[in-house]
Amino acid sequence: MAKALSALSPGELGAILRFGMVGVMATLVYFAVSLVLLDFGLVPRVTNLVAFAVGTVASYLGHYFFTYRADDSHFKLGGRFAAVTAGLALLCVALHQVALWLGAGPRGAVLFVTVAYPPLSFALNHFWAFARGAVRRG
């Protein structure tokens, strides 16, 4: 792993670090919005949906302005980001089910998806959704 990281350019390594920071921020936004909406008495399923949407927008804006410092249109990049997010959501359902079929149990399946999601998300966003601006401007 360390050898693989040393083969990355400074721009790529910076993109990975910024991507992780934005991911943590988006997760915290999701968590905070969830808690606020639950405190207001919103039903859990609706709370999850709204918090997921707000966290996804925070993630997109963080990646657009901070991770990749993009200057392409929001229509283009936002559409790609939405496609990646929707695709990953479906993939996570499938990965969860495969882990269950393999005998991982519910907690093991959650762990599997939790570990698989970040590198998949980075790869799809870095090499497709935000590809043009992936390693620009440091």
Side-chain angles (χ1 to χ4, degrees):
M1 173 94 169
K3 192 173 189 178
L5 287 176
S6 67
L8 297 172
S9 74
E12 290 170 325
L13 187 57
I16 291 169
L17 293 173
R18 290 188 304 273
F19 192 91
M21 291 168 59
V22 168
V24 169
M25 176 274 306
T27 301
L28 292 173
V29 166
Y30 165 83
F31 185 70
V33 170
S34 294
L35 293 179
V36 168
L37 294 177
L38 288 171
D39 284 347
F40 277 111
L42 207 58
V43 295
R45 287 182 193 214
V46 175
T47 292
N48 182 58
L49 182 63
V50 172
F52 178 80
V54 173
T56 299
V57 170
S59 177
Y60 168 72
L61 293 173
H63 291 314
Y64 186 91
F65 290 110
F66 180 66
T67 303
Y68 298 111
R69 299 177 181 127
D71 55 11
D72 286 337
S73 75
H74 286 291
F75 182 78
K76 175 184 174 184
L77 298 182
R80 287 181 177 184
F81 183 82
V84 165
T85 301
L88 283 171
L90 294 174
L91 181 61
C92 284
V93 169
L95 290 173
H96 189 269
Q97 189 59 50
V98 167
L100 290 173
W101 285 337
L102 294 174
R107 292 178 191 274
V110 167
L111 178 62
F112 180 60
V113 170
T114 301
V115 170
Y117 186 90
L120 291 170
S121 179
F122 177 78
L124 290 169
N125 280 295
H126 185 78
F127 295 110
W128 183 63
F130 290 96
R132 184 171 156 239
V135 292
R136 279 186 298 184
R137 296 187 239 157

